[in-house]
Amino acid sequence: MTAAAARRRPLLRMILGRLAIGVFTLAVISVLIFLAVSLLPGDIAQQVLGQSATPETVAAFRRELGLDQPLLWRYLGWVGGVLSGDFGNSLANGRPVGELLAARLGNTLFLAAYAAVIAVPLAVGLGLLAALWRGSWFDRIANVATLTAISFPEFFIAYILMFWLSVRLGWLPSIADPGASPSLGQMLTRAFLPAITLVLVVTAHMMRMTRAAVVNVLGAPYVTMARLKGVSRAGVVTRHALPNALAPIVNVVALNIAWLITGVVIVEVVFVYPGLGQLMVDSVTNRDIPVVQACALIFAAVYILLNLLADVLSIATNPRLLHPR
């Protein structure tokens, strides 16, 4: 066995172990989702058909939905359909749930990517500058601003931005729905307010972690030695401190990107953005159970997958974790 192969084995074992934990966690979450939906009060069939429906019609609809079967068989049937790519049909319009998810998931991923492209470089850059000028007025202002941003919930930030940038100044539309077949420019314009809302929420966390990680590394002896050798402060941060602080920074960036995808529900609702979160909220209102279950499962799967990616990147960028003694 070569040295390179020997070095890859711990990482491979770690990835397989994390993957097994992720699959088990997703299986447990699928059970919780199904039980939570099944234990909702009221008769779903009766609420979908309305109070004017006859008992015979309700009973027939219950049989069509499989609600007359034991809970375990209904769960196994749902999971089997999901594993084969069949999420069932919507109770609201009869369309396949997979089609509804495909149409909305792309919008949610676009919004998350839009916010991440702005937030990640901004947060890492501000964190580096705060660490470089630690104790300066810039550092103090950045800390106050980030603490303020963390203190406010996303819906409050969303309404403040909507009030000033849309209602008062009229610079941007308050409704983020880009319509049918929009151009890239229209999508960027319409999604700017929800994207900036997400940026303000996640930038604070990433910026503070970047600053803390870099400041911690700056106190290491090899950094002091580099300074004594005449390396500039900026050079010390970029060439010595940042590479060794990469593991916690990568971890927090991956976790915040996971939040961007799974935590957009409130922001999408506020700006009426046609994403997966808005679809889930509308489906809860309409008691469209197959869509609710599918949306919740996709959010859980994406969050678990990105958490797995965060773990892998964190260990892969930290030799002390990759090769523990």
Side-chain angles (χ1 to χ4, degrees), residues 36-222:
V37 172
S38 300
L39 294 176
L40 287 175
D43 189 338
I44 297 175
Q46 184 71 63
Q47 294 188 17
V48 171
L49 294 176
Q51 297 299 322
S52 60
T54 63
E56 293 78 11
T57 304
V58 173
F61 191 53
R62 285 179 59 84
R63 287 193 299 272
E64 180 182 346
L65 297 178
L67 297 177
D68 58 333
Q69 299 178 2
L71 189 64
L72 177 60
W73 291 112
R74 286 159 49 197
Y75 170 75
L76 293 177
W78 175 60
V79 170
V82 169
L83 293 176
S84 63
D86 181 14
F87 289 93
N89 295 324
S90 169
L91 300 182
N93 51 35
R95 293 177 57 190
V97 175
E99 292 183 4
L100 300 175
L101 297 178
R104 298 296 190 96
L105 182 59
N107 291 335
T108 295
L109 293 177
F110 174 82
L111 178 59
Y114 191 3
V117 167
I118 300 174
V120 173
L122 179 64
V124 174
L126 289 176
L128 286 175
L129 291 176
L132 184 62
W133 298 328
R134 181 175 44 170
S136 66
W137 62 268
F138 176 84
D139 186 26
R140 289 193 289 269
I141 291 176
N143 277 295
V144 171
T146 54
L147 286 174
T148 303
I150 293 174
S151 302
F152 291 138
E154 57 266 27
F155 70 86
F156 180 81
I157 297 176
Y159 282 124
I160 291 296
L161 292 177
M162 183 185 297
F163 175 74
W164 283 104
L165 298 181
S166 180
V167 177
R168 292 294 298 270
L169 300 177
W171 290 351
L172 295 165
S174 59
I175 303 300
D177 190 349
S181 302
S183 64
L184 179 60
Q186 290 174 326
M187 292 186 66
L188 292 175
T189 301
R190 287 285 182 175
F192 185 76
L193 272 181
I196 290 299
T197 301
L198 295 172
V199 166
L200 292 177
V201 173
V202 301
T203 297
H205 295 276
M206 292 188 290
M207 179 263 179
R208 289 180 63 83
M209 178 56 73
T210 301
R211 178 191 180 278
V214 173
V215 167
N216 183 56
V217 174
L218 285 176
Y222 62 86

Side-chain angles (χ1 to χ4, degrees), residues 282-303:
D282 293 341
S283 299
V284 170
T285 304
N286 298 329
R287 296 298 293 269
D288 199 345
I289 301 305
V291 179
V292 174
Q293 292 179 161
C295 290
L297 190 63
I298 286 180
F299 278 134
V302 170
Y303 191 79

Side-chain angles (χ1 to χ4, degrees), residues 212-292:
V214 173
V215 167
N216 183 56
V217 174
L218 285 176
Y222 62 86
V223 173
T224 304
M225 181 62 67
R227 292 298 306 274
L228 292 175
K229 289 182 178 180
V231 180
S232 65
R233 190 170 180 81
V236 167
V237 171
T238 57
R239 294 202 301 268
H240 297 278
L242 183 59
N244 289 280
L246 201 58
I249 295 174
V250 168
N251 185 270
V252 75
V253 167
L255 290 177
N256 277 276
I257 291 177
W259 183 89
L260 282 176
I261 297 176
T262 59
V264 297
V265 176
I266 295 177
V267 175
E268 288 185 358
V269 171
V270 170
F271 292 103
V272 198
Y273 183 79
L276 205 60
Q278 179 70 54
L279 175 64
M280 185 176 181
V281 172
D282 293 341
S283 299
V284 170
T285 304
N286 298 329
R287 296 298 293 269
D288 199 345
I289 301 305
V291 179
V292 174

